[in-house]
Amino acid sequence: MFWLCIVFSGCITLKAQTTDTLTFLKNDTIIRLITPGSLSKINNNDGKKLEEILKQYSEKNFFSRKLHEWLVKSSLESAEEVKPAPDYLKFYGKKINYIDIRSIPPFGTSINDTSEISDSWLVKLGNNLRFETAPGIILKTLTFQPGETLEKTDILDSERLLRALSFINDAKIVVWNVPNHPDLVNVSVYVQDRYPLAISLGLSNQQPSFTLINKNLLGRGFYLSSTLLTPTTDIKDWGFRERFGAENFPGQYVNFDIDYARTSDLKMVSANIEKNFVLPEIKYAGGININRSYLNAGIIDYPSIEWEPPLDYRRQNFWAGRSFLLGASDRPIRSNLYIMTRYLDVNFYDQIEPQEFLPEGKFFFGGFSFSRRGYYKNNLIYSFGRTEDVPYGSLTSLNYGYQKGNYGNRHYLEFHHSVGKALIPSKGYLYFSGDIGTFFKRNRAEQGHLKVLTEYISPLINIGNGQFRNFLEIQYVNGFRRLPGEYLFIDEDEDGLHRFDYKNAIKGSEKIVFKTEQVFFTNVQPLGFKFAAFTFFDTAFLKESEKNLFHHSPYFSFGGGLRIRNDNLVFNTLQIILAIMPRVPSGQLPFSLRISGESTRDFNNFVPDQPGSPIYY
């Protein structure tokens, strides 16, 4: 009855404001948004004949019956559910007269019903204790401006770019006619802020840490993070870390970040400025990153490997790319050809025992990529109810590199292919990627890698008052002709088992990891905090000796926990997890109970990375 009242009140609002539509996300909208045209073709006469042929063939065996049921029968049944194109399609090609920015506070409101306002004094206090995002920040993120013609992809692209900002919770754009001017339209942009202030307590290198965060400083899109580490009985010194930056700072989708740290285990300063191909229409992109680390346990080019003693190094990285849009720019899925180049210069200092596998020297990379990508809206995947923009399409890349190092010069060759799509009809989402690359020295391959990854996300299933979704991941990695000191791990931070953390004791050269996770999204929302219970079961085989991979005993991790998140806040997801690990190194506990803050996972996008990026884990 509650939802019926909301829908009914939304209809009344629509009647008074005919072009302002209320959009309610369905539980799962995968197929309806990806292939709206393919299903309609099945309903014509030729389609009926084809369906009869497939139905007759499906009666031969069990497999063909299930294939027919999955790919054909369900498509016909769901064809009637496909809604017509959004109402704003009729406004494309018209000139934009005016853009109205309408800010929605983070608490007690909804992007889908702007008339919903809470009378709670606590909600009003929270909404007032912040700076509202300046309209100029929103305007420069849009792909259209007043005086321009509204294109077919402008609405969806602009909503997606707004939601990608860390201080924005959700966005909705409404188009309506200008009275007495049929060729003009006005645009209303509804944007809901996140509450930008946060406090974080934790441990860093066994030192208690206290962090103050502002993700939207003065409402101008700047972020500032200040961390203070207090002394302990073992570590007498104070520590601190400062980060400052901005997203889409000059209005050209450029981000910058400055990071300075001085703690017991990290002493470094770095600066990064970067523009990525966030839109298919962007022609030029690139980035500059300079890092001077006086004390650091790792390096970005080898994220899964740590050294003792910590490293002292200087790293300079420059990359640039040119994109060519292939075909029309108003298609839901657009294709691009990318030409990219990169220069990386890394110098290490004061090494007690120099390691040949360290990425030292000058690297020159270049490559070509072909991408097809589109996006559709969904929810309750990695977030807890806010709109999520799910990418689909494919990416193919071929990269070449040349290294001038202290241990000799060598060439590099790498190939990548990935594809992601919704399974027809509403059977979930499937992603596949494959990478193979190696250096060549004196015509001999070395430091090679092969990685294959498959991920499956099931559709939502209604269970009582909640909703359930299943996640499955299979990962295979093989490091061939690696140099001494390089290993693979099955720790959680290296795409391994949940809560597994025994890097120093368990390592190998080849691995396969099977991971499943079952997530139940509850309808419990006290004060906007949403709860999701989850269970998991992981299995990994690691080649620790010369024996075949599957001749080694497997490792397991299974358990469950609870995730708590408020999408209106910039806090990380609070996670309480218990993991049971029957096989661990001698003397270690076979279980792990931990409370931590986890970042929201990102989707695998179909935009090429700078060539030569690491994938050996």
Side-chain angles (χ1 to χ4, degrees):
M1 289 298 297
F2 173 74
W3 287 110
L4 288 175
C5 290
I6 292 179
V7 174
F8 180 72
S9 63
C11 295
I12 295 176
T13 305
L14 290 174
K15 201 168 185 179
Q17 192 176 351
T18 56
T19 58
D20 192 348
T21 59
L22 291 179
T23 303
F24 289 92
L25 284 176
K26 296 287 186 182
N27 291 342
D28 223 56
T29 53
I30 291 177
I31 294 306
R32 298 171 188 171
L33 293 171
I34 281 189
T35 56
S38 61
L39 294 178
S40 60
K41 295 179 181 179
I42 300 178
N43 285 328
N44 59 24
N45 292 333
D46 291 337
K48 291 179 181 178
K49 294 177 182 178
L50 176 60
E51 197 275 337
E52 292 173 358
I53 296 173
L54 294 175
K55 182 178 181 180
Q56 181 180 359
Y57 174 78
S58 71
E59 297 173 354
K60 292 185 177 182
N61 54 59
F62 174 81
F63 176 77
S64 59
R65 284 198 303 273
K66 286 297 180 183
L67 187 63
H68 172 266
E69 178 183 326
W70 191 25
L71 297 179
V72 180
K73 184 179 178 181
S74 299
S75 298
L76 293 171
E77 291 173 351
S78 61
E80 298 178 358
E81 301 177 5
V82 179
K83 294 184 177 181
D87 187 59
Y88 54 71
L89 286 176
K90 63 184 180 182
F91 299 112
Y92 291 137
K94 296 186 178 183
K95 188 176 181 180
I96 301 172
N97 175 63
Y98 179 75
I99 299 178
D100 179 25
I101 306 299
R102 305 188 184 186
S103 180
I104 301 175
F107 303 125
T109 58
S110 171
I111 193 71
N112 292 320
D113 185 1
T114 56
S115 65
E116 180 183 339
I117 301 175
S118 174
D119 293 329
S120 169
W121 68 269
L122 186 61
V123 167
K124 292 180 180 179
L125 178 64
N127 288 330
N128 290 330
L129 292 178
R130 67 183 180 92
F131 285 92
E132 182 181 284
T133 301
I137 302 299
I138 306 302
L139 282 172
K140 68 183 183 181
T141 306
L142 303 176
T143 62
F144 53 87
Q145 298 296 326
E148 298 179 351
T149 299
L150 189 66
E151 301 294 338
K152 285 186 177 181
T153 55
D154 280 336
I155 302 298
L156 295 179
D157 280 345
S158 296
E159 288 181 343
R160 175 174 60 85
L161 292 174
L162 287 170
R163 281 190 288 266
L165 297 174
S166 63
F167 50 89
I168 298 298
N169 182 31
D170 212 340
K172 182 182 70 172
I173 299 177
V174 176
V175 187
W176 42 288
N177 275 318
V178 177
N180 302 321
H181 293 82
D183 295 330
L184 297 178
V185 294
N186 289 334
V187 180
S188 293
V189 182
Y190 296 85
V191 177
Q192 185 179 36
D193 288 348
R194 283 179 167 170
Y195 193 73
L197 304 177
I199 299 175
S200 176
L201 302 176
L203 290 174
S204 177
N205 193 30
Q206 303 306 313
Q207 283 185 269
S209 64
F210 175 80
T211 304
L212 292 175
I213 303 169
N214 191 329
K215 283 291 186 74
N216 193 5
L217 195 64
L218 303 177
R220 297 291 174 177
F222 295 95
Y223 65 82
L224 178 64
S225 171
S226 301
T227 301
L228 179 67
L229 281 70
T230 62
T232 64
T233 55
D234 297 325
I235 303 175
K236 304 298 182 180
D237 296 329
W238 294 78
F240 63 90
R241 184 172 185 174
E242 299 286 338
R243 294 191 64 185
F244 176 74
E247 302 171 71
N248 192 24
F249 172 56
Q252 296 296 322
Y253 310 109
V254 176
N255 304 328
F256 79 87
D257 178 86
I258 300 173
D259 191 356
Y260 177 76
R262 189 172 184 85
T263 69
S264 60
D265 64 335
L266 179 63
K267 293 180 175 62
M268 66 97 182
V269 58
S270 72
N272 181 69
I273 182 170
E274 190 170 46
K275 176 180 180 178
N276 290 306
F277 292 107
V278 295
L279 288 170
E281 289 77 17
I282 291 179
K283 294 182 179 180
Y284 298 96
I288 300 173
N289 176 263
I290 299 176
N291 182 299
R292 181 64 177 95
S293 289
Y294 301 92
L295 184 67
N296 204 327
I299 185 171
I300 190 173
D301 300 280
Y302 277 68
S304 64
I305 300 178
E306 296 180 352
W307 294 270
E308 290 291 345
L311 297 173
D312 179 5
Y313 65 86
R314 174 183 56 82
R315 179 182 181 274
Q316 300 178 98
N317 184 58
F318 308 87
W319 72 275
R322 174 69 162 93
S323 171
F324 299 89
L325 183 63
L326 306 177
S329 62
D330 58 353
R331 298 177 179 177
I333 182 167
R334 285 160 282 180
S335 300
N336 289 81
L337 176 66
Y338 298 91
I339 301 176
M340 307 182 71
T341 184
R342 178 188 180 195
Y343 170 69
L344 173 65
D345 184 9
V346 183
N347 289 325
F348 293 94
Y349 307 103
D350 300 330
Q351 294 184 64
I352 298 177
E353 295 182 3
Q355 301 289 342
E356 186 177 352
F357 65 82
L358 288 175
E360 185 171 16
K362 302 181 186 299
F363 298 80
F364 305 87
F365 295 102
F368 298 89
S369 298
F370 175 75
S371 169
R372 297 181 69 250
R373 57 171 162 153
Y375 299 86
Y376 68 90
K377 299 178 183 178
N378 210 318
N379 64 345
L380 295 180
I381 302 178
Y382 298 132
S383 292
F384 284 42
R386 71 187 293 261
T387 306
E388 298 179 70
D389 298 285
V390 184
Y392 65 97
S394 63
L395 173 66
T396 304
S397 300
L398 180 63
N399 299 320
Y400 167 79
Y402 180 74
Q403 177 190 4
K404 296 177 64 177
N406 296 333
Y407 297 95
N409 303 334
R410 53 184 186 165
H411 301 269
Y412 178 77
L413 194 63
E414 179 187 29
F415 176 78
H416 166 88
H417 179 72
S418 59
V419 59
K421 63 179 297 183
L423 300 178
I424 299 175
S426 295
K427 298 296 183 182
Y429 179 84
L430 183 66
Y431 174 83
F432 169 84
S433 70
D435 296 85
I436 184 170
T438 183
F439 283 95
F440 292 93
K441 187 176 181 180
R442 300 187 183 93
N443 297 322
R444 183 180 183 274
E446 65 179 22
Q447 282 191 294
H449 64 261
L450 171 64
K451 180 178 180 180
V452 179
L453 174 67
T454 301
E455 295 179 314
Y456 172 73
I457 303 173
S458 77
L460 279 173
I461 301 173
N462 294 322
I463 300 179
N465 294 326
Q467 294 168 305
F468 171 86
R469 198 187 289 274
N470 188 55
F471 298 81
L472 172 66
E473 177 182 318
I474 303 175
Q475 176 192 168
Y476 171 77
V477 185
N478 188 353
F480 55 91
R481 293 189 176 177
R482 307 300 297 188
L483 300 177
E486 291 185 294
Y487 301 100
L488 288 173
F489 307 97
I490 54 174
D491 291 39
E492 184 176 44
D493 292 339
E494 279 73 53
D495 293 336
L497 307 179
H498 278 86
R499 292 270 54 94
F500 204 84
D501 187 18
Y502 304 103
K503 182 185 298 183
N504 295 331
I506 301 175
K507 49 193 175 183
S509 60
E510 183 181 7
K511 71 176 180 179
I512 185 167
V513 181
F514 304 89
K515 301 174 67 174
T516 66
E517 185 173 285
Q518 301 75 39
V519 182
F520 178 72
F521 298 94
T522 71
N523 65 346
V524 179
Q525 300 184 24
L527 299 176
F529 287 89
K530 301 176 182 179
F531 294 77
F534 66 95
T535 60
F536 61 89
F537 186 90
D538 304 340
T539 305
F541 289 86
L542 180 66
K543 186 175 182 179
E544 303 175 71
S545 64
E546 295 301 322
K547 295 189 301 183
N548 183 275
L549 176 64
F550 290 103
H551 289 169
H552 291 76
S553 299
Y555 293 90
F556 298 97
S557 176
F558 59 91
L562 182 69
R563 296 188 181 115
I564 306 171
R565 181 174 180 82
N566 191 328
D567 284 319
N568 297 322
L569 304 176
V570 294
F571 283 101
N572 286 338
T573 301
L574 177 64
Q575 178 173 270
I576 305 171
I577 181 174
L578 172 63
I580 300 173
M581 297 162 286
R583 187 180 173 212
V584 295
S586 177
Q588 301 293 332
L589 294 176
F591 64 88
S592 171
L593 176 62
R594 188 174 300 182
I595 301 176
S596 60
E598 303 293 328
S599 301
T600 303
R601 182 176 175 181
D602 291 328
F603 292 96
N604 295 298
N605 216 328
F606 300 100
V607 181
D609 292 324
Q610 49 185 301
S613 297
I615 65 111
Y616 183 71
Y617 297 104

